[in-house]
């Protein structure tokens, strides 16, 4: 995708929002959900996803739960209480950013 750099700055917010909506998810599930929601427009690579998940975990925004599935260990990520609060903040920041970009790109377009 040509504009993947635009999404890169929003990756943490995307992850937090998905976990807010879905409770807990494992890495591959997150990548597939993003692909599904965006009709294949956004593909998150493992090389981008896992460092982001590890950073969010280190910031105490995510908890990790390990479960055995089909004789394999699977890491599930879920929001901590701090992560839930941060999700609200990140979504507000993103909404403000989008609003400002819309005004800059199309000044005649009014936003209610």
């Amino acid at each position: 995708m040509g504009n993947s750099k635009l999404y890169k700055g929003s990756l943490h917010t995307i992850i937090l929002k998905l976990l807010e909506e879905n409770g807990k998810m494992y890495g591959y599930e997150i990548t597939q959900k993003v692909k599904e929601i965006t009709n294949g427009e956004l593909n998150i690579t493992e090389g981008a996803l896992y460092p982001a998940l590890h950073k969010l975990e280190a910031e105490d925004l995510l908890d990790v739960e390990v479960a055995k599935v089909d004789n394999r260990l699977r890491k599930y990520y879920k929001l901590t209480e701090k992560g839930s609060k941060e999700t609200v903040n990140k979504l507000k920041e993103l909404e403000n950013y989008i609003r400002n970009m819309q005004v800059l790109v199309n000044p005649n377009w009014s936003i209610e």
Side-chain angles (χ1 to χ4, degrees):
M1 162 194 305
N3 58 356
S4 61
K5 288 182 183 177
L6 293 174
Y7 287 106
K8 188 176 182 183
S10 304
L11 183 55
H12 290 185
T13 306
I14 292 167
I15 292 168
L16 293 172
K17 178 64 176 167
L18 283 174
L19 292 173
E20 178 190 58
E21 290 177 348
N22 296 285
K24 64 180 183 179
M25 300 175 81
Y26 57 96
Y28 180 74
E29 184 179 18
I30 292 170
T31 63
Q32 295 309 297
K33 188 70 170 175
V34 169
K35 189 185 286 188
E36 174 191 326
I37 291 169
T38 64
N39 293 318
E41 286 290 315
L42 178 58
N43 292 307
I44 299 175
T45 64
E46 287 183 16
L49 177 67
Y50 288 101
L53 288 170
H54 295 149
K55 186 173 191 316
L56 292 169
E57 182 184 0
E59 292 173 355
D60 194 33
L61 301 179
L62 300 183
D63 270 337
V64 176
E65 189 178 291
V66 179
K68 196 169 189 175
V69 179
D70 297 329
N71 285 329
R72 293 176 41 197
L73 293 179
R74 181 178 284 167
K75 276 188 175 182
Y76 286 92
Y77 299 89
K78 61 183 179 179
L79 295 177
T80 60
E81 185 177 330
K82 182 179 174 184
S84 294
K85 291 175 184 172
E86 185 63 16
T87 300
V88 172
N89 295 334
K90 290 278 192 191
L91 289 171
K92 284 181 184 173
E93 285 176 12
L94 185 58
E95 288 170 7
N96 287 334
Y97 173 78
I98 292 168
R99 189 177 306 110
N100 287 327
M101 290 305 294
Q102 287 172 330
V103 170
L104 287 168
V105 172
N106 191 354
N108 297 324
W109 192 66
S110 66
I111 302 172
E112 299 300 321

